[in-house]
Amino acid sequence: MKIGVLGTGGVGQTLATALVAHGHEVKMGSRQAGNVKAVAWAEGAGDSASEGSFRDAAAFADLVVNATAGAASLDALESAGTENLAGKVILDVSNPLDFSKGFPPSLTVCNTDSVAEQLQRAFPDARVVKSLNTMNCDVMVEPSLVPGSHNVFLAGNDDGAKAEIKALLEGFGWPSDDILDLGDATAARGMEMYVPFWVRLFGTAGTGHFNIKLVLGS
Amino acid sequence: MKIGVLGTGGVGQTLATALVAHGHEVKMGSRQAGNVKAVAWAEGAGDSASEGSFRDAAAFADLVVNATAGAASLDALESAGTENLAGKVILDVSNPLDFSKGFPPSLTVCNTDSVAEQLQRAFPDARVVKSLNTMNCDVMVEPSLVPGSHNVFLAGNDDGAKAEIKALLEGFGWPSDDILDLGDATAARGMEMYVPFWVRLFGTAGTGHFNIKLVLGS
């Protein structure tokens, strides 16, 4: 599949590299084509890797991954162009974390809204799926870094889009039973509001290589 | 120990009953002494159970449990009286959930503040510990309802107070290793913001008898 990964940070690079490794053609998008980090990534990632502007990456793609900072995501996708997103699945892995005021970080949007919902409202013809934002990027693409069963979550309004993302996650090694659909796009609020809790778990765990498992009782 | 449980809802009743069963003397507090639910509870719960106003319960107690609705907690503790809280541990199990606007619920305080921090600021001589708010009340007092290892969390500024609450949790059957200290009172933000996520997990689980487990990788 042709995948546009918007964002050149650690999350974008990790996802883009893993997607190439799993046989996809990936164009990394940034504010301007020729971004130093995107060029370096594309040069090192083989023939299926390329880079360009947000617009270039979205136009190229069958599926768009939003790996930009949550507070900047709406701007990034607007510069990608509505016409380049229409009908496409947008996998939104972003978190609207704001570390500018120190620790603990706060969220730039939460409670009655989420980044995923902002994107779905702004691009009603796109099919937004929130996923993977509840863990470190290494774990996103290699769930076996955390032993045994643990969970990744999905939220979005389009069941077909969620099925596509579920297949992508299975490609990364996520067992089908560990992929939990939490419902429509409003569930992204909970998934994003979980992240300040994740930050505290990170402090206790002392490593980013952890996750949570839903344990069911009787 | 003498424990004042503020709040007559399901959480307060479940905690109060469990505390009596574990050998504590418990006074359930409500806005006015003689609350119908509190009287019924006290009559059914044996000789170690009594009821009164928030003020009565706090004055009686060595340890105060805040099981009121999060949006009402500050008012409830103010009516309990600063002098009745000074020096005491307040176990804050509340969540500031607002279901008045329908589903999904929102929080009345979050992101840059939490109920636990509101209480700690309002009663600087009390020792607030946030715990147990991340699960159904049945699981709070009987963790074996969920099989195997799963976690309960602590946050607060006073290490001695957290040690007291840890001992109380161990009395409910929580293994020491499953009780995770997430840090100072600001960690209560994450613990409270987890709750909209919990609401979605509840929808997927189909039962309140579930919890999460932190799974560590390498």
Side-chain angles (χ1 to χ4, degrees), chain A:
Chain A
M1 197 188 295
K2 291 183 173 179
I3 300 179
V5 174
L6 310 188
T8 62
V11 177
Q13 297 224 5
T14 300
L15 283 167
T17 298
L19 290 165
V20 168
H22 285 84
H24 300 288
E25 290 180 68
V26 176
K27 190 182 286 290
M28 181 175 285
S30 50
R31 206 157 294 283
Q32 293 191 310
N35 172 288
V36 173
K37 287 198 285 184
V39 169
W41 173 80
E43 284 177 353
D47 291 345
S48 300
S50 61
E51 64 84 28
S53 65
F54 288 138
R55 176 173 291 273
D56 296 335
F60 164 86
D62 302 312
L63 182 149
V64 175
V65 178
N66 175 37
T68 65
S73 294
L74 203 53
D75 279 354
L77 271 78
E78 277 168 1
S79 78
T82 302
E83 69 281 14
N84 295 321
L85 300 171
K88 296 180 183 173
V89 175
I90 299 177
L91 168 58
D92 175 30
V93 306
S94 75
N95 279 310
L97 280 166
D98 178 6
F99 283 93
S100 70
K101 300 181 198 84
F103 189 86
S106 56
L107 301 182
T108 58
V109 55
C110 67
N111 205 19
T112 56
D113 202 2
S114 61
V115 176
E117 290 167 280
Q118 288 180 328
L119 299 180
Q120 188 61 78
R121 283 197 305 274
F123 307 100
D125 294 334
R127 299 180 292 152
V128 176
V129 178
K130 189 91 197 181
S131 191
L132 289 172
N133 71 302
T134 57
M135 66 194 73
N136 166 281
C137 58
D138 298 336
V139 179
M140 292 180 188
V141 300
E142 194 176 346
S144 63
L145 286 171
V146 176
S149 174
H150 50 95
N151 295 112
V152 61
F153 307 94
L154 300 172
N157 296 338
D158 186 306
D159 287 342
K162 287 194 279 194
E164 281 189 46
I165 296 304
K166 190 176 181 196
L168 195 83
L169 297 176
E170 289 171 348
F172 286 151
W174 287 94
S176 177
D177 287 349
D178 290 342
I179 304 171
L180 298 183
D181 185 345
L182 299 186
D184 67 14
T186 63
R189 297 176 199 175
M191 290 170 64
E192 295 177 14
M193 290 172 79
Y194 164 79
V195 173
F197 185 67
W198 181 92
V199 169
R200 293 295 185 152
L201 292 177
F202 175 68
T204 295
T207 169
H209 293 177
F210 71 86
N211 197 7
I212 56 168
K213 172 179 172 51
L214 176 66
V215 188
L216 290 179
S218 51

Side-chain angles (χ1 to χ4, degrees), chain B residues 127-148:
Chain B
R127 300 181 289 153
V128 176
V129 179
K130 189 90 198 183
S131 191
L132 288 173
N133 71 302
T134 57
M135 66 194 73
N136 166 281
C137 58
D138 299 335
V139 179
M140 292 181 187
V141 301
E142 194 177 346
S144 63
L145 285 172
V146 176

